[in-house]
Amino acid sequence: MKNQPIPNRALDLVGILRGEGLRITPQRIAICRALTGRHDHPTAQNLYDELRSDFPTISLTTVYQTLDTLSRLGAITSLGRAGDDTIHYEVNTEPHINLVCRDCNQIFDLPSQGIRLLEQEVRQKLGIAAPQGKVVYYVHCNDHVDLHHSNENPRENHGENHDE
Amino acid sequence: MKNQPIPNRALDLVGILRGEGLRITPQRIAICRALTGRHDHPTAQNLYDELRSDFPTISLTTVYQTLDTLSRLGAITSLGRAGDDTIHYEVNTEPHINLVCRDCNQIFDLPSQGIRLLEQEVRQKLGIAAPQGKVVYYVHCNDHVDLHHSNENPRENHGENHDE
DNA sequence: TTCTTATTAGTAATCATTACAATATAATAA
DNA sequence: TTATTATATTGTAATGATTACTAATAAGAA
């Protein structure tokens, strides 16, 4: 698996690291690939568990560090600790609302037109080209059965070569 | 100080507790008053430190519990861990954007029209009357010197009887 | 290939928050 | 007012995700 081709989206993340003059290591490639293969909001531990089967020597610390690096570069977004006490990340760069369930701690993406306007407002007021931020609302997913289906559709396929 | 009149806004918070059938204790009153006396985004420890001079026996656990209670009731908002590793709360219920400085961890309120529209969108899409949520964008406050003044104006005075 | 230095791995330390249990007290009714 | 009882408070101990640290490794440049 380690020698499989790298999906475009993962290449994007790797390219961001390279653009910063950071070293491209097998660990970082694996983490970028794992990130882009997900449509949920993984934690460092989630990714570590997933990666270990293909990459038994990877360390949890490396996963933490790489996520922090990518996050500070704006390549991914840290949602902070959501309900449970762990930091969740997301790769979905499309503007959207994150719905956090107060009961089960799951996070659901809700597409939003309002966010686009909000980002525009932030860009204008702060003079930032690409603002980093997060929008979170709390729900009880049992009250919104439809939410359970909202994360099932993989993000639109940009023509990447799938490696699974 | 413990026997001073309670400002209206603090009475609001106390009233919410009472409305839930919870007991009105001197600790809870003190915490509600401390919360409403602030125009920043205090942590449990911040409030504990402030309260101890007037209320030497109050415990940190009580502050944590009361903040959690008020937060779950929607009376205040938890901003989660902002930059530093501590949970910040806010009493400002006016819709606004929270700007978190990546350098100094300060949090600045930015009034926003877009948030109103966003909340309306959430209300409509989820059928929730008063959505609980938070909107956070990250900045570097040194790039935005004007931010340092944005929290200086106390929230508009609603006619409460000041007790300081 | 060699060299330099960033990165990784493994473990130990941190520390905000939560859990717990004994004590105190708010609220209710007699 | 007093008794009653469930809730709240306190102080301390436990938790556990994240970070700090250091030796060993390996990416990238020459």
Side-chain angles (χ1 to χ4, degrees):
Chain A
M1 196 78 110
K2 248 191 268 184
N3 297 316
Q4 293 293 315
I6 304 169
N8 284 353
R9 184 84 179 79
L11 276 178
D12 291 349
L13 294 182
V14 171
I16 290 172
L17 294 172
R18 183 176 286 119
E20 292 291 316
L22 299 173
R23 292 183 181 171
I24 307 309
T25 65
Q27 290 89 339
R28 283 177 171 169
I29 293 173
I31 291 165
C32 290
R33 181 189 287 150
L35 275 170
T36 55
R38 284 188 168 253
H39 302 108
D40 58 351
H41 304 77
T43 65
Q45 185 72 52
N46 292 154
L47 293 165
Y48 176 62
D49 293 341
E50 175 186 337
L51 288 165
R52 258 205 299 191
S53 54
D54 285 334
F55 207 138
T57 63
I58 203 169
S59 92
L60 183 55
T61 300
T62 298
V63 179
Y64 269 108
Q65 285 174 338
T66 301
L67 290 174
D68 183 62
T69 300
L70 288 169
S71 174
R72 277 187 295 101
L73 292 175
I76 61 177
T77 304
S78 165
L79 288 178
R81 320 207 181 193
D84 54 1
D85 200 44
T86 54
I87 296 176
H88 292 255
Y89 289 88
E90 76 171 329
V91 202
N92 182 356
T93 53
E94 279 298 295
H96 65 272
I97 297 169
N98 292 282
L99 301 176
V100 175
C101 176
R102 286 216 140 112
D103 298 322
C104 70
N105 295 326
Q106 273 190 279
I107 304 170
F108 304 93
D109 285 358
L110 181 69
S112 163
Q113 179 60 26
I115 296 274
R116 295 173 190 279
L117 297 170
L118 192 69
E119 283 215 8
Q120 192 174 342
E121 189 181 3
V122 173
R123 274 199 299 274
Q124 184 187 0
K125 284 186 171 162
L126 296 179
I128 298 176
Q132 294 293 309
K134 61 187 174 189
V135 175
V136 174
Y137 282 91
Y138 295 97
V139 296
H140 294 274
C141 71
N142 291 328
D143 301 346
H144 298 278
V145 183
D146 50 317
L147 290 182
H148 290 288
H149 306 289
S150 70
N151 272 9
E152 280 175 10
N153 310 333
R155 206 167 311 118
E156 51 292 7
N157 187 313
H158 291 298
E160 61 261 356
N161 39 352
H162 289 281
D163 59 336
E164 291 126 16
Chain B
M1 197 78 110
K2 248 190 270 187
N3 297 314
Q4 294 293 316
I6 305 170
N8 285 351
R9 184 82 180 80
L11 276 178
D12 292 347
L13 294 182
V14 171
I16 289 172
L17 294 172
R18 183 178 285 117
E20 292 290 315
L22 299 172
R23 292 185 179 169
I24 307 308
T25 64
Q27 290 89 339
R28 283 176 171 170
I29 293 172
I31 292 164
C32 290
R33 181 189 288 149
L35 275 170
T36 56
R38 283 189 169 251
H39 302 108
D40 59 351
H41 303 78
T43 66
Q45 185 72 51
N46 292 155
L47 293 165
Y48 176 62
D49 292 341
E50 175 185 338
L51 288 165
R52 259 203 300 191
S53 54
D54 286 335
F55 207 140
T57 64
I58 202 168
S59 92
L60 182 55
T61 300
T62 298
V63 179
Y64 270 109
Q65 286 173 340
T66 302
L67 290 174
D68 183 63
T69 300
L70 288 168
S71 175
R72 276 187 295 103
L73 293 174
I76 62 177
T77 302
S78 165
L79 288 178
R81 320 205 182 193
D84 54 2
D85 200 45
T86 54
I87 295 175
H88 292 254
Y89 289 89
E90 76 170 329
V91 203
N92 181 358
T93 54
E94 279 299 296
H96 64 272
I97 296 167
N98 293 282
L99 300 177
V100 176
C101 176
R102 286 216 140 112
D103 298 322
C104 71
N105 295 325
Q106 273 189 280
I107 303 171
F108 304 92
D109 286 357
L110 180 69
S112 164
Q113 179 60 24
I115 296 276
R116 296 174 189 279
L117 298 170
L118 192 69
E119 283 214 8
Q120 192 174 342
E121 187 182 4
V122 173
R123 274 199 299 276
Q124 184 188 359
K125 283 186 171 160
L126 297 179
I128 298 176
Q132 294 293 308
K134 61 186 175 190
V135 175
V136 174
Y137 281 92
Y138 295 96
V139 296
H140 293 273
C141 71
N142 291 329
D143 300 346
H144 298 278
V145 182
D146 49 318
L147 291 182
H148 290 288
H149 307 287
S150 69
N151 273 7
E152 280 175 10
N153 311 333
R155 209 167 306 118
E156 48 297 4
N157 187 313
H158 291 298
E160 61 261 1
N161 39 352
H162 290 279
D163 59 337
E164 294 123 14

